[in-house]
Amino acid sequence: MTERAVKEPGAVRRLWADGFGTLATRCVQALVVLAVIVVVIFAIMQVSIVGIPVLLALIVSSAIVPFTAWLRRRGAPAMLAAWTALLSIVVTFGLLIWLIVWAVLNQWNVLVSSATGGMQTLQDFIDGLPFTVHTPALDEVGAWAQGVLASSGFQSGALAGVSATAEFFTGFGIFVVVLFFFLKDGAAIWEFLLRPLHGDGYARARRAGQQAVTTFGSYLRGTTIVAAADAVGIGIGLVILQVPLALPLAVIVFVTAYIPIVGATLAGGLAALVALVANGPVAALIVIAIVIVVNQLEGNLLQPVVMGRTLKLHPLVILIALTIGASLGGVLGAIIAVPLTAAAWSVLQVWDGPGRPARFARAKSARERREAREAELTAEEEAKAPTGAASADAAAASDKDADVSGGSDV
């Protein structure tokens, strides 16, 4: 910056008002926003045993708000409505866990015997090949498994598993308590947090909160319907094929379907693996075909109907959000990453008012795109014009020189 620019404030303002100054200002603003996001994520990860249960409670309570509101309209007190909704959730999850444990205990012997027969069939198939394939014998696999179980690494891993189990139950307790208070006093808690805001800032925060709650609720309810359809479709196929542990596998499909795009597919791959070990390769191929058909029907027919415009995100954005969420928070991070991203985008859609997105997030109208295209064409024509004018001037100068030459000859 020159000495003259330092002495003249207007010159400094002009430096920041040109194209590069505007770009620098936007970069600084983007860096500040990213820094705030990183700090918030870092703080949540440092207290993940509290942060993740609170986020899960917020998402789940947003989906159950219509039920509690319906109970209150029927005259139920806020306390009774919250307890009814909470107990309904606890009973539902408890029933799912009981079904999984019962099915595993009931069919475990069948799975072990089927797996043993399947492994022997696979070994016989490999032995019958025209070329030699070295595979470890069952006794070697058993000895390896016993060594792993007796190793210090396995024991330390078991201790880590006990610690993780304790953290899970602690987080689950926090989730239940926070969920109860969100169901009972969610609106009052949000109003308390908005007390420092006034005027336009208060109105914007209220819009953002309502939009985020609506998006969370619609996303979770729609995803639950889609997950149930995936679990029922794949589960029926497993039952028809007499694959062991069909019910637990269907429940796994239901749970993993909350991870968009990849969840149900991974669970279907697990079901195909069980079918391969227990029922052979033909059954595994049929299970894969069932998974593909169910995913196509769900993605192209059911999901657009039940989700509507709730998840207005490009698949690439969803995959990036899943990757970031999984790297930061594991499976739970992958589950909550997409609804958080969808809620953030929906908040931007009402940032400047109902139905008025933030300026940078507004889609260009057809008129704006047409005017931009016309401006591009005009600029291209103007860029070509000097070349043509120069050629015309050169031709005129040549004619003038010829005339002058002719005059001098005369």
Side-chain angles (χ1 to χ4, degrees), residues 23-80:
L23 177 62
T25 303
R26 294 294 180 264
C27 290
V28 171
Q29 293 172 344
L31 288 176
V32 171
V33 173
L34 289 176
V36 172
I37 294 175
V38 169
V39 170
V40 171
I41 293 176
F42 179 78
I44 293 175
M45 296 308 301
Q46 294 303 309
V47 290
S48 59
I49 194 172
V50 176
I52 292 181
V54 170
L55 288 176
L56 288 175
L58 175 61
I59 296 173
V60 174
S61 63
S62 300
I64 309 175
V65 162
F67 177 63
T68 56
W70 179 81
L71 291 176
R72 291 184 182 184
R73 287 194 300 268
R74 296 300 183 274
M79 180 73 72
L80 178 60

Side-chain angles (χ1 to χ4, degrees), residues 363-376:
K364 299 296 184 293
S365 63
R367 178 181 177 182
E368 289 178 314
R369 293 195 296 268
R370 184 173 62 254
E371 291 177 352
R373 180 56 182 166
E374 292 175 354
E376 291 176 358

Side-chain angles (χ1 to χ4, degrees), residues 137-153:
L138 295 178
D139 295 338
E140 295 178 2
V141 174
W144 171 81
Q146 292 177 1
V148 170
L149 293 176
S151 63
S152 59

Side-chain angles (χ1 to χ4, degrees), residues 254-271:
F254 175 80
V255 174
T256 56
Y258 284 93
I259 303 177
I261 298 178
V262 299
T265 303
L266 293 177
L270 176 62

Side-chain angles (χ1 to χ4, degrees), residues 154-288:
F154 180 83
Q155 295 173 2
S156 61
L159 293 176
V162 172
S163 176
T165 302
E167 291 183 0
F168 168 78
F169 282 107
T170 303
F172 183 75
I174 296 174
F175 165 77
V176 172
V177 173
V178 174
L179 177 60
F180 171 76
F181 285 108
F182 279 171
L183 292 174
K184 179 178 176 292
D185 302 318
I189 293 174
W190 183 240
E191 285 295 332
F192 174 79
L193 295 176
L194 297 184
R195 284 185 179 181
L197 302 178
H198 302 280
D200 293 339
Y202 173 74
R204 175 175 292 171
R206 278 185 58 87
R207 286 196 309 271
Q210 293 173 357
Q211 190 69 20
V213 168
T214 300
T215 302
F216 282 145
S218 300
Y219 173 83
L220 187 57
R221 290 190 296 268
T223 304
T224 301
I225 295 173
V226 172
D230 288 342
V232 170
I234 296 176
I236 291 175
L238 296 178
V239 171
I240 294 175
L241 294 173
Q242 297 182 353
V243 176
L245 302 178
L247 181 59
L249 290 173
V251 175
I252 292 174
V253 170
F254 175 80
V255 174
T256 56
Y258 284 93
I259 303 177
I261 298 178
V262 299
T265 303
L266 293 177
L270 176 62
L273 181 61
V274 174
L276 173 63
V277 174
N279 296 59
V282 176
L285 292 176
I286 296 175
V287 170
I288 293 175

Side-chain angles (χ1 to χ4, degrees), residues 401-410:
D401 292 340
D403 293 340
V404 171
S405 300
S408 60
D409 292 341
V410 173

Side-chain angles (χ1 to χ4, degrees), residues 301-391:
L301 297 179
L302 182 61
Q303 190 171 17
V305 174
V306 299
M307 299 292 286
R309 296 181 59 81
T310 300
L311 192 61
K312 295 177 286 188
L313 298 175
H314 193 276
L316 179 60
V317 176
I318 295 176
L319 289 175
I320 293 175
L322 287 175
T323 304
I324 296 175
S327 62
L328 293 177
V331 176
L332 288 178
I335 291 175
I336 66 177
V338 176
L340 287 176
T341 306
W345 180 249
S346 67
V347 167
L348 291 177
Q349 302 309 303
V350 296
W351 190 256
D352 289 339
R356 295 187 60 193
R359 184 176 297 275
F360 71 89
R362 294 176 187 174
K364 299 296 184 293
S365 63
R367 178 181 177 182
E368 289 178 314
R369 293 195 296 268
R370 184 173 62 254
E371 291 177 352
R373 180 56 182 166
E374 292 175 354
E376 291 176 358
L377 294 176
T378 302
E380 292 177 359
E381 292 176 357
E382 290 178 353
K384 296 177 181 178
T387 304
S391 300

